[in-house]
Amino acid sequence: MPTALQLTRSVVAALTRTRLFRRLAPTLLPPIEAALGALSGGRLQLASLLVPSLVLHTLGARTGARRDVHLMYTPDGNGCAIVAGTSFARDRHPGWTYNLIAHPDAWITVRDRTLRIRAGRIAAADRDAAWARIEAQWPGYRGYERDSGRVVRLFLLQPIAEVARPPRAADASADGPLDASSDPD
C-alpha cells in the first residue's frame, strides 16, 4: 500500500510534467528556494519536502566563479548521489552540468552537512539502472529527457570528505574564485 508521501509525490510529479509548470518553474522556483533557504539558515529547501534535495556548489566552467544550484538527488544505495541535468525538459543542458564536467571536484550541502565531492558522468551502460532508481523516487522523471530531445547528463556525486562549508572566494585561491551566484556559466 502506497504511503502518503508516495501518493503526494505521484500527484506532484504529474503536475511537474505539464507545460505550464515547465515554463514557470525555472523562473519561480529559484527565488522561492533562495528565500526559504535564507529564512531557515540554509536548512530547508522547498523540494526537500518531497524528495531528497541538495545544494550543489560548483566552479564556473569558464569563469571559475562559484555557482550554487538546488537539485533533487537520488541515493545510489552506496553512499553516493545521482543527479540529472533535466533542466525542466528544456533543449539545452543546464549550466551546472558544464561546470561539473570542467571541475568535477565540488561541494554539496545536504540539510546542514557540507561535503566535498567528486562528480563523474554515469556511463551509457549504467544509465537505465540509474533512471530506474530515479523514477522509483520520482515517477515519470525520465519524461523530461524524452521531451527535451537530448540525452540528459547523469552524474554520480561521490563524497570525499565532510567540510565546515564550501570555501569563499578568499579561501579558494587554488580552486579559483568563488561567489554566491546561481547563474550558469
Side-chain angles (χ1 to χ4, degrees), residues 139-153:
Y141 197 61
R142 194 169 191 177
Y144 278 6
E145 180 174 61
R146 288 186 291 274
D147 295 345
S148 71
R150 62 182 168 82
V151 175
V152 165
R153 294 172 175 165

Side-chain angles (χ1 to χ4, degrees), residues 73-144:
Y73 76 92
T74 302
D76 80 333
N78 296 310
C80 298
I82 301 168
V83 291
T86 58
S87 192
F88 299 99
R90 291 184 279 189
D91 61 353
R92 294 185 56 181
H93 295 289
W96 64 264
T97 66
Y98 295 97
N99 298 345
L100 279 183
I101 290 168
H103 304 286
D105 291 331
W107 303 263
I108 58 172
T109 300
V110 181
R111 294 185 254 350
D112 59 351
R113 293 180 63 200
T114 299
L115 303 167
R116 179 96 173 147
I117 59 99
R118 178 155 298 127
R121 297 275 299 271
I122 292 179
D126 299 325
R127 287 177 54 79
D128 286 338
W131 274 118
R133 191 173 274 283
I134 292 168
E135 285 199 303
Q137 174 180 288
W138 194 254
Y141 197 61
R142 194 169 191 177
Y144 278 6

